[in-house]
Amino acid sequence: MTQQPPPSGNLPTARELELYAAGTPSGPRLLLPAGSEALAMLVRRGFQPTVAPLDLPFPADLEGEAAEKLAEQLGHYSFRLFLRGAILRHGSFSPTEATRYVEATQAAKTAETLVELGLAEREDGGRYRLRYPAHNFGGTLEWYVARELRGRLGFDVAVGVKFHAPEVGGDLDVVAAAEGRLLYLEMKSSPPKHLASDEVGAFFRRVRALRPHLAIFVMDTALRLSDKVLPLLQAELSTQPPPPPRRVVREVWALTPHLYVVNARQDLMGNIATAIAEGLRALSPPAP
């Protein structure tokens, strides 16, 4: 029988304290999967993370050569644009309906590539349909970036992480661990015009709750970040007026030594890797 706590008006006796403690059930014992350093770093920060399944236009257990071929294609901005558009059609589509940013001949080739990869099937009239419908492209972007961080930079990675921080909404899109450092990436697959201030505010709340060593705000777009994205992020910085952003290279920007913003111009993963390298150097001891 569970003991009731002693009355609040009187100081409990030693026996009452022991009885109460002995009758209180212990909390759940949650064990992490072996080798999950990224998740372990969240647990050490006092969170109880869980991982949600990603919304993907392909089987979640895709591995081996098929996964490698898909990742190779996702490295091309034009392929990501096309697949994003195909997902948003939510059904049958012609190659030119998937995106207006790819020429018709290239769009037709990309549609056939989706068929070869097992992501789409042909329909009558030169139309196509995805075999595994998804709601949006976000999960695919997270899957791709996480895979590249793991394979190219040796990070331990977790995606679609719910860290259940009090009064902090949203998921941690990608968290990664290496060299005793925790990296958090917020992934945005929509153009900058769709980015709202409340999304940026939510990102900063997650950063302040998590306190990663490095945080990177990733926009999968070739458009300039200085027009809208940088001002929105600067407005949320603790220091106001904010310091001017520092261009590292191309569209890789440092808002602080530990907070970066990148887009996909030239190479999405190359830009992310540049931001990581810059951030790790900022965390390193001073040069002799």
Side-chain angles (χ1 to χ4, degrees), residues 39-60:
L39 293 179
M41 293 186 83
L42 269 64
V43 173
R44 296 185 197 114
R45 283 162 167 76
F47 303 111
Q48 295 295 329
T50 56
V51 177
L54 294 178
D55 178 29
L56 299 171
F58 51 88

Side-chain angles (χ1 to χ4, degrees), residues 194-205 228 232-233 235-236:
H194 296 306
L195 183 65
S197 59
D198 59 340
E199 293 179 84
V200 175
F203 163 69
F204 272 87
R205 286 192 293 275
K228 180 180 181 181
L232 282 175
L233 288 160
E236 291 289 339

Side-chain angles (χ1 to χ4, degrees), residues 25 31 49 77 83 91 99 102 115 118 143 147 164 200 232 258 260 276 288:
L31 299 180
Y77 185 56
L83 181 54
T99 177
V102 177
V115 173
W143 179 89
R147 181 181 176 86
H164 307 291
V200 175
L232 282 175
H258 313 296
Y260 295 82
I276 292 172

Side-chain angles (χ1 to χ4, degrees), residues 78 81-82 84-86 89 94-104 107 191 193-194 223:
S78 61
L81 281 176
F82 188 91
R84 180 186 300 131
R89 297 299 298 180
S94 70
T96 54
E97 288 173 345
T99 177
R100 58 192 177 94
Y101 300 113
V102 177
E103 294 184 358
K193 66 180 180 180
H194 296 306
L223 301 178

Side-chain angles (χ1 to χ4, degrees), residues 104-261:
T105 54
Q106 181 62 38
K109 291 179 181 178
T110 305
E112 283 299 310
T113 299
L114 287 178
V115 173
E116 294 168 8
L117 292 170
L119 271 65
E121 56 192 11
R122 301 181 189 92
E123 292 190 328
D124 294 338
R127 301 183 69 81
Y128 297 81
R129 182 182 297 271
L130 293 179
R131 296 180 60 202
Y132 307 93
H135 290 94
N136 58 57
F137 184 70
T140 304
L141 184 62
E142 294 170 24
W143 179 89
Y144 166 66
V145 170
R147 181 181 176 86
E148 296 300 288
L149 288 174
R150 187 183 298 114
R152 292 166 58 172
L153 297 179
F155 278 92
D156 177 77
V157 186
V159 294
V161 177
K162 297 181 181 295
F163 72 140
H164 307 291
E167 300 181 6
V168 178
D171 298 347
L172 302 173
D173 292 339
V174 179
V175 288
E179 303 182 23
R181 311 293 192 183
L182 180 63
L183 170 66
Y184 162 41
L185 296 95
E186 176 80 6
M187 313 299 301
K188 296 297 181 185
S189 60
S190 299
K193 66 180 180 180
H194 296 306
L195 183 65
S197 59
D198 59 340
E199 293 179 84
V200 175
F203 163 69
F204 272 87
R205 286 192 293 275
R206 289 190 286 273
V207 170
R208 288 167 182 145
L210 182 61
R211 299 292 297 275
H213 295 90
L214 294 176
I216 305 178
F217 196 88
V218 180
M219 297 287 299
D220 190 21
T221 178
L223 301 178
R224 288 190 305 270
L225 300 178
S226 55
D227 294 342
K228 180 180 181 181
V229 178
L230 289 179
L232 282 175
L233 288 160
Q234 284 184 286
E236 291 289 339
L237 290 173
S238 300
T239 302
Q240 293 293 332
R246 178 174 63 87
R247 187 194 294 270
V248 179
V249 63
R250 296 187 299 274
E251 288 294 307
V252 179
W253 296 87
L255 296 186
T256 77
H258 313 296
L259 174 60
Y260 295 82
V261 192

